[in-house]
Amino acid sequence: MRALPHLLALFFALLALATQAQVVVQGRVVDDRTNESLAFVHVVPEGEREGTTTDIDGRFTLTVARLPVRLRFSYVGYRMAVVEVSTTASNSVRLERAQLELVPVVVYPGENPAHRIIQRVHANRKVNDGLRNRAHRYTSYSKTIFTADLDSAVVGNPEKLAALDSSDRRAYDWLEKQHLLLIESATKRTFSPPASEKEEVLAMRVSGLKDPSLLGLAASTKTFSIYEAQIPMGEKSYLSPIGPNSTDRYLFQLEDTLYQGADSVFVISYRPRSGRKFDALQGVLYVNTDGYALQNVIAEPVEREGNVSIKLQQQFRKVDGRAWFPVQLNTFIYFDGVQVNKFKVFGMGRTYLKDIQLDEPIAKRELRGPEFVLEQVATRRTEVFWDSLRTDPLEAKELQTYFTIDSLFEAEGLERKVRWLGYLASGRAGLGPVDILLDKLLAYNGYEGFRLGAGLATNDKVSRYFSLGGYGAYGFQDKAWKYGGDLTLKPWAARGPVLRGYYALDVAESGGVFFQGLRRSFSSESYRMLYVDRMDQVERAGAELAFRVNSSLRMWVGSERADLRNLIGYQYADPQNEQVTLLTDRFVTGSISMGLRFAFREQVASLPGRQFGLGTRWPVLYLNVMQAVPGLWEGDLELWRVNAMLEKTFRLRMLGETGLRLMAGMADPKAPYPYLYNLRGTFDPKLPIAAQNTFETMRPNEFLADRYLSVHLRHSFGNLLFKSKKFKPVPVLVANAAWGALDEPERHRGYTFTPISGGYYEAGLQIDNLLRSGSTGFGVGAYYRLGPNSLPDATDNLAVKLTLGLGR
């Protein structure tokens, strides 16, 4: 028994020693100036080899032998810090940015170890790119805040706070309590290579909005793969640092080597080589020697262009010891020039992936239907449901954001005003139970001049299953009224076939082409209507059934009666025999038609009340076929017409962007002028404005064809060739060509035109964005007419035009 106290003392001593060996230290690392959490900071006890790195939220957990302990914090672009830690939790570490000037570095072949590492990463990209090459499922939780940068020099500094004027101080006090906007979402995503996928929104909430479906696509967790050759960010595409031959364009530097058990992690910074002009990224890559896979990624554009810029962070983990896969994603959005008083506005989104399943069998039925689905029920989840999804509980400032912004929006009726942003994109503005049809308000063309009108259609507040609409308009140049109406039946709301019946008395371009499903364009092609001065009055009534066969194919079938009249002198000559020819300017047809839009692997989004395509990387085909049948709907003409269009935009590494459009048509050779083809010329010396996908040197209505093929090719170099801080011209090469024929030109009287024969060719050079005013860019283009249809006088073949572009 005498030995018992000694044994107990030894036991407790060993227990204390074991406990000391398992001290777990936790904390967060932030930027000293902005308070931004710093992801992937290396944390290691001083004098030791192995440590840890902060996660994407800047948090770290590290087991140490005892307290206190001195921890060394190192991070690319920041001064190394050594901090003594004496507590296990709530340790906040602030790192100061290093004031380093980047100077050109000359690295000779064979002397840069980072290049060898990057080449191995590229060689293993297919094995390690789980996002694109492995079947997977996961659930996600995302939280995005939009807030103001309360400068850390002001936060907690009484002197700086006292220096703020009363307006800034009120803004500071308000912003310190809540954010400007908070968005939460949770999704379930399924993917099967090469491109079958589906993402369903489990829950979504937006501060201030009772119905957040307006921002539904913000819930998508689809992101880029850093292993791709081109990295899309916003509207631009950047050369990947892991792409083929990236070491020729980027300068890589080995900044540090970390140790994780038997593996090493190479910390490699990258930026474009000096003198290289291309859309480049900069940042840091963490390469794990286990498979030479990327473990962490930081990427942002080298140059912030326009009013919005983005910075991205990705963290990867080896799932189930089998394959690397992203587990956390950060997105930072910076709004240049947007401020609340003196405080700049920015956004920060965090996405956490969990319940990740790799290489599991995925049945085809799991992937049927739209690729992105947001049901109304997902916008009405309870707090209990949300608590089961969140990675961490909401902070006090986030809870206050919901309370304050919800109250503010309700008191001021701001949700209704926010919806106008969606209306501008959809072309409809809600006004109680009806929508204002925005595209009916104002237009201009060469025939009507200014066209002023109004249009209304009932919306879901009346019924989800039908819509009744109508419009009226007046042309100030042709001095004529137009009007029409339609009834749309939607038996399965937004998801099934749609049947539309319509009537209209309006005008239509003579010899023009129309395709169902063609989205409204905000490109310079819309300027073509300035030159359209040959139109026909048309009274039409008909019905059309629209349906989606699958995600790639949409179809339309219909029938209509059209009574078309020309009021500006055209007459169609219909020879009855050698002595008698009938002349008419009125054409009545009863027709059946079929149209389709085929976009291979186009993704479809289904939101409450609507479905729409999200685009595709493949060419898009449009086809329209019409057959007029004598006697159908009292029609007296027999004719046919087939139109087709194929378009695609190619992003070429290091060369810019190429747009290609092919258009073709074939019509009954005996058809009247309105059913033939005018070939879309847009050169008028009195109005020299360039119009994309038209013939810049061809006069309007110069040629007529009953069959044709046209090619429109344009290549934009972007800012690859010329770039300075304020002067950023964009060179664009343009080439257009057409081939066609007209068998019976003698049938068409009263209009001047030339039957096209041989080929029509033109080439040109545009310098866009020479000057900017707000969001509008001004430039100049010169185009020259070539080939058998060129004119005798060389100056008549030259067209010099103004180019106008909207956007960045």
Side-chain angles (χ1 to χ4, degrees), residues 214 416-441 455-464 466-471 486-488 490 498 500 520 522 609-610:
L214 175 65
R416 184 175 64 254
K417 297 175 183 177
V418 169
R419 288 192 174 279
W420 277 88
L421 299 175
Y423 298 151
L424 293 175
S426 66
R428 300 167 74 105
L431 189 65
V434 298
D435 290 343
I436 300 172
L437 306 179
L438 300 179
D439 62 341
K440 303 296 184 184
L441 297 178
L456 296 174
T458 61
N459 56 35
D460 288 353
K461 292 184 178 180
V462 175
S463 175
R464 296 175 59 199
F466 75 86
S467 174
L468 182 64
Y471 74 93
D486 63 355
L487 173 64
T488 302
K490 302 173 285 185
V498 174
R500 175 175 171 264
R520 290 187 305 159
F522 293 98
R610 63 192 190 276

Side-chain angles (χ1 to χ4, degrees), residues 246-264:
S246 62
T247 54
D248 294 337
R249 297 286 176 174
Y250 283 103
L251 174 63
F252 297 90
Q253 291 183 266
L254 183 59
E255 304 284 355
D256 202 353
T257 302
L258 318 180
Y259 301 96
Q260 295 181 354
D263 302 313
S264 299

Side-chain angles (χ1 to χ4, degrees), residues 15 27 69 98 171 175 203-204 228 269 276 278 320 356 421 442 463 473 489 515 520 630 632 705 737 785:
L15 179 62
V69 63
L175 292 166
M204 186 174 186
E228 294 182 71
S269 66
R276 298 283 188 164
F278 64 101
D320 299 329
I356 300 170
L421 299 175
L442 181 66
S463 175
L489 303 178
F515 293 100
R520 290 187 305 159
L632 180 63
R785 183 167 170 165

Side-chain angles (χ1 to χ4, degrees), residues 681-701:
T682 58
F683 178 49
D684 182 349
K686 298 178 182 179
L687 192 62
I689 299 177
Q692 185 174 325
N693 295 321
T694 67
F695 288 93
E696 306 283 8
T697 62
M698 183 188 294
R699 279 65 177 170
N701 312 307

Side-chain angles (χ1 to χ4, degrees), residues 84-313:
E84 184 170 299
V85 175
S86 57
T87 60
T88 57
S90 301
N91 292 287
S92 180
V93 179
R94 309 178 73 85
L95 293 188
E96 182 182 348
R97 290 178 184 267
Q99 300 299 318
L100 297 177
E101 180 180 356
L102 295 178
V103 296
V105 178
V106 179
V107 179
Y108 297 99
E111 293 189 359
N112 190 341
H115 286 189
R116 175 179 51 82
I117 297 169
I118 293 299
Q119 288 162 0
R120 292 193 65 173
V121 173
H122 177 70
N124 292 350
R125 67 192 184 281
K126 292 185 178 179
V127 175
N128 293 323
D129 189 0
L131 270 178
R132 293 194 300 165
N133 298 326
R134 291 182 180 273
H136 59 259
R137 297 186 189 90
Y138 64 73
T139 56
S140 73
Y141 168 75
S142 300
K143 179 170 61 179
T144 301
I145 62 169
F146 291 88
T147 191
D149 181 10
L150 303 179
D151 195 322
S152 59
V154 175
V155 176
N157 189 324
E159 293 181 1
K160 290 282 188 179
L161 286 174
L164 296 176
D165 62 31
S166 59
S167 176
D168 288 339
R169 181 56 191 262
R170 284 195 301 270
Y172 174 86
D173 291 341
W174 193 91
L175 292 166
E176 200 176 28
K177 295 176 184 176
Q178 60 264 309
H179 303 296
L180 298 170
L181 183 68
L182 173 60
I183 303 173
E184 288 185 283
S185 62
T187 70
K188 177 184 176 182
R189 185 176 178 85
T190 306
F191 175 84
S192 179
S196 299
E197 58 186 290
K198 191 180 189 73
E199 186 163 20
E200 300 170 85
V201 180
L202 305 175
M204 186 174 186
R205 186 178 181 184
V206 179
S207 60
L209 298 182
K210 294 179 181 178
D211 180 8
S213 61
L214 175 65
L215 303 177
L217 290 180
S220 173
T221 61
K222 185 174 182 178
T223 185
F224 70 88
S225 168
I226 191 65
Y227 293 99
E228 294 182 71
Q230 295 287 132
I231 305 298
M233 283 193 186
E235 297 180 356
K236 297 192 69 174
S237 181
Y238 297 86
L239 184 69
S240 170
I242 306 300
N245 302 315
S246 62
T247 54
D248 294 337
R249 297 286 176 174
Y250 283 103
L251 174 63
F252 297 90
Q253 291 183 266
L254 183 59
E255 304 284 355
D256 202 353
T257 302
L258 318 180
Y259 301 96
Q260 295 181 354
D263 302 313
S264 299
V265 178
F266 300 115
V267 182
I268 298 174
S269 66
Y270 64 94
R271 69 179 193 268
R273 289 179 176 272
S274 178
R276 298 283 188 164
K277 294 183 181 295
F278 64 101
D279 291 327
L281 300 172
Q282 63 183 356
V284 184
L285 304 173
Y286 291 67
V287 180
N288 195 304
T289 54
D290 182 1
Y292 276 80
L294 291 172
Q295 181 170 303
N296 304 314
V297 174
I298 300 175
E300 62 181 321
V302 172
E303 296 190 4
R304 293 170 63 165
E305 297 185 12
N307 297 320
V308 180
S309 59
I310 299 174
K311 176 182 177 181
L312 297 170
Q313 299 172 337

Side-chain angles (χ1 to χ4, degrees), residues 785-796:
R785 183 167 170 165
L786 306 165
N789 283 290
S790 61
L791 300 174
D793 191 335
T795 59
D796 292 334

